[in-house]
Amino acid sequence: DQQVKQNSPSLSVQEGRISILNCDYTNSMFDYFLWYKKYPAEGPTFLISISSIKDKNEDGRFTVFLNKSAKHLSLHIVPSQPGDSAVYFCAASAWGNTPLVFGKGTRLSVIA
Amino acid sequence: ETGVTQTPRHLVMGMTNKKSLKCEQHLGHNAMYWYKQSAKKPLELMFVYNFKEQTENNSVPSRFSPECPNSSHLFLHLHTLQPEDSALYLCASSQIADQETQYFGPGTRLLVL
């Protein structure tokens, strides 16, 4: 059973608009969440993270929101740029430095 | 070279072949990982090495054999693979104290015929 779910395999957004990528998790022991971004022919690269003691973390155009009661997090990209087109993976880990658990990824296409 | 490198980038092998994937990290990390990414499936953790010692083996078949001779190098030895083992194999590294923030290599795309 998947512990980290990204239910949208793909998302298409116009340049300049907001991109919202969603992630749900089932394991209540998860306390640290990350987003990774992957371009074709490259490995995933770390983008932004959030600890369970916070509900929002912002880094430039990227903001991650965490709703612990709903076991849901989202990544907002504002404004979206064509260079943001990539696959975005949500990942989570539990207390104690346990291995990361990844979602299937969402392919974002930002159209100029 | 910087970051995490993987060779070869592409590999085609028959089911009776023996091959090895190589990963090298130039980041001074002390933990290394092998992941498998199959189409339409999440990244699956295969093996974890902390300070060259294997700490995680995620029920991986014995036809995959990892080797970590030092904290900078990681190998994945392959033998008698099956077509369903065709996937992208990603290596990653991190500090043991910060295993959430992993740095990935570009991956080896493997096709088993």
Side-chain angles (χ1 to χ4, degrees):
Chain A
D1 185 36
Q2 273 189 267
Q3 298 185 69
V4 176
K5 299 177 187 178
Q6 293 177 257
N7 292 320
S8 298
S10 62
L11 175 67
S12 203
V13 171
Q14 266 200 311
E15 182 179 7
R17 307 293 290 266
I18 184 171
S19 295
I20 300 176
L21 296 103
N22 293 305
C23 178
D24 297 292
Y25 61 96
T26 58
N27 188 342
S28 57
M29 300 299 290
F30 286 149
D31 68 344
Y32 195 75
F33 305 89
L34 308 93
W35 286 93
Y36 280 80
K37 175 179 178 180
K38 184 181 186 301
Y39 291 117
E42 294 183 17
T45 55
F46 170 74
L47 185 59
I48 192 169
S49 64
I50 188 166
S51 162
S52 61
I53 62 173
K54 300 174 78 172
D55 53 21
K56 177 183 173 182
N57 189 25
E58 193 172 349
D59 183 3
R61 296 185 297 113
F62 302 91
T63 303
V64 56
F65 295 91
L66 176 62
N67 182 336
K68 289 185 288 293
S69 59
K71 293 193 177 68
H72 176 84
L73 65 153
S74 60
L75 174 67
H76 292 213
I77 306 173
V78 183
S80 301
Q81 299 173 354
D84 296 328
S85 298
V87 176
Y88 290 79
F89 291 97
C90 174
S93 75
W95 183 85
N97 234 358
T98 55
L100 286 176
V101 179
F102 284 86
K104 289 184 181 181
T106 296
R107 182 178 300 279
L108 174 65
S109 300
V110 179
I111 305 157
Chain B
E1 295 254 33
T2 58
V4 181
T5 58
Q6 289 186 243
T7 54
R9 295 294 309 276
H10 302 272
L11 179 62
V12 180
M13 59 188 287
M15 289 190 283
T16 57
N17 292 160
K18 287 185 181 181
K19 296 287 184 183
S20 295
L21 310 185
K22 179 182 175 183
C23 175
E24 185 173 357
Q25 59 94 3
H26 309 268
L27 300 168
H29 289 159
N30 45 30
M32 295 187 79
Y33 313 80
W34 279 117
Y35 286 90
K36 175 183 177 183
Q37 187 184 13
S38 305
K40 298 182 181 176
K41 292 178 80 173
L43 275 167
E44 299 171 60
L45 180 66
M46 299 175 73
F47 301 104
V48 180
Y49 277 83
N50 290 337
F51 290 117
K52 303 185 301 174
E53 299 297 321
Q54 190 180 125
T55 58
E56 190 100 13
N57 175 339
N58 229 15
S59 304
V60 180
S62 59
R63 58 186 183 270
F64 295 92
S65 174
E67 178 191 358
C68 189
N70 55 63
S71 57
S72 298
H73 293 85
L74 185 65
F75 295 89
L76 187 62
H77 303 298
L78 317 170
H79 64 99
T80 59
L81 294 193
Q82 305 298 310
E84 60 264 29
D85 296 322
S86 300
L88 179 69
Y89 289 85
L90 289 159
C91 172
S93 71
S94 75
Q95 294 293 353
I96 290 175
D98 184 17
Q99 292 197 35
E100 293 92 359
T101 307
Q102 297 179 14
Y103 293 77
F104 284 82
T108 296
R109 186 157 295 283
L110 173 68
L111 177 62
V112 181
L113 300 176

